[in-house]
Every structure is written in C-alpha cells, then in structure tokens.
Amino acid sequence: MAKITYIEIAGKEYPMSFSLGASKKIAARFGSVEKMGNLLDNEGEVTEKTIDGLVFVLELLICQGCAYKNFFEADTPKDPKAPVDSEGRYVPPTTEELEIACGITDIKAISKSLAEAIGKSNQTEVETQPDDKKNEGAMPVETR
C-alpha cells in the first residue's frame, strides 16, 4: 500500500512520502529523525534556520513522493492538479519555487502536512489470512 499524502502548493497537488531514503537524508542533515521532529513542533520564533529546515524536509518528501509515483504508479490516471510534465511524469518543485510559492503564514499548515506524511509512512499494515486448520478438530455445534 502506498503511504503517500498530498500537499497543495500553487494550485498543484504534490505527493509526499517519508521513505527510508528521506529518513536517511534527514538524519544526515539534522543528526536524527527525532531532532527534525523538533523543527515541526516549533511554536516559537520563526528563524532562517527554521524556514530552511522546513523547506528542506518539504522538498525532500515531495521529491520522494514524486519518485514513488513515477516508479510504482506510472500507468495510473493522473489528477488534473497533479504536477506532471508532458510525458505524465511527476515533477517536484525546486527549493526556489517552494520559497516563492509559500509564505510565512503557511508554516503551520506545512508543518501539519509534513507531520501527517511522516505519521502515515510510519503506519504498519498487517495482512492476515484465515487459518483453516485452527478449528480442525473442534466439535461441530448443533443449532436448532
């Protein structure tokens, strides 16, 4: 199951994925994934460091989401708001495009969307199959 969430930026619905690749790059930049989480929870002063961190994570999760869609869902129909090129491939925005499209008032919404993407990617999917042998020796129950 795809663990993709979406964020709307400048009229386009960008896919986001918190993959192992994203986790690795986040750990390299922030020291750990947990330290990056502190950035999303930041309710204090908005600094250049905060903005740079949010844009880095946003761009990274969108890049991973676009890569996922291009690798595993290339043949699926695209939404009209999907950020695709003339060949139908998802194209992530650049850092500059994100910094131009997003404003300071968008920071809370971006943080919430990033947290949602991380949360969805951390959900575990469990598949079960019926065990026909489980009740193999049980006595049948009579109904009247």
Side-chain angles (χ1 to χ4, degrees):
M1 175 181 177
K3 296 181 177 185
I4 301 291
T5 59
Y6 294 86
I7 186 169
E8 185 172 336
I9 299 171
K12 297 287 184 185
E13 291 283 332
Y14 288 94
M16 294 190 297
S17 174
F18 184 63
S19 63
L20 283 175
S23 299
K24 182 178 175 182
K25 289 178 181 178
I26 286 169
R29 168 126 181 198
F30 296 99
S32 71
V33 174
E34 290 75 22
K35 287 181 183 176
M36 182 274 307
N38 295 336
L39 177 76
L40 300 181
D41 295 333
N42 186 357
E43 291 291 327
E45 184 179 26
V46 177
T47 65
E48 181 181 4
K49 183 178 176 182
T50 305
I51 294 169
D52 284 345
L54 281 172
V55 171
F56 172 81
V57 175
L58 179 61
E59 181 181 12
L60 177 61
L61 296 192
I62 290 173
C63 284
Q64 292 291 296
C66 288
Y68 181 92
K69 298 290 263 181
N70 289 333
F71 283 127
F72 302 110
E73 297 180 10
D75 296 332
T76 59
K78 310 297 190 274
D79 184 274
K81 289 179 138 186
V84 295
D85 62 15
S86 61
E87 296 174 9
R89 294 186 52 81
Y90 281 81
V91 180
T94 65
T95 301
E96 183 179 19
E97 289 168 335
L98 288 173
E99 289 177 347
I100 291 169
C102 301
I104 196 83
T105 58
D106 298 320
I107 288 179
K108 284 189 181 201
I110 291 169
S111 293
K112 183 178 177 183
S113 293
L114 292 175
E116 180 183 335
I118 292 165
K120 184 166 186 175
S121 294
N122 287 330
Q123 290 176 350
T124 304
E125 184 175 311
V126 178
E127 290 185 31
T128 61
Q129 295 181 0
D131 186 359
D132 294 335
K133 294 181 181 185
K134 182 178 178 181
N135 295 320
E136 207 168 69
M139 300 273 294
V141 177
E142 265 186 50
T143 56
R144 296 182 193 207

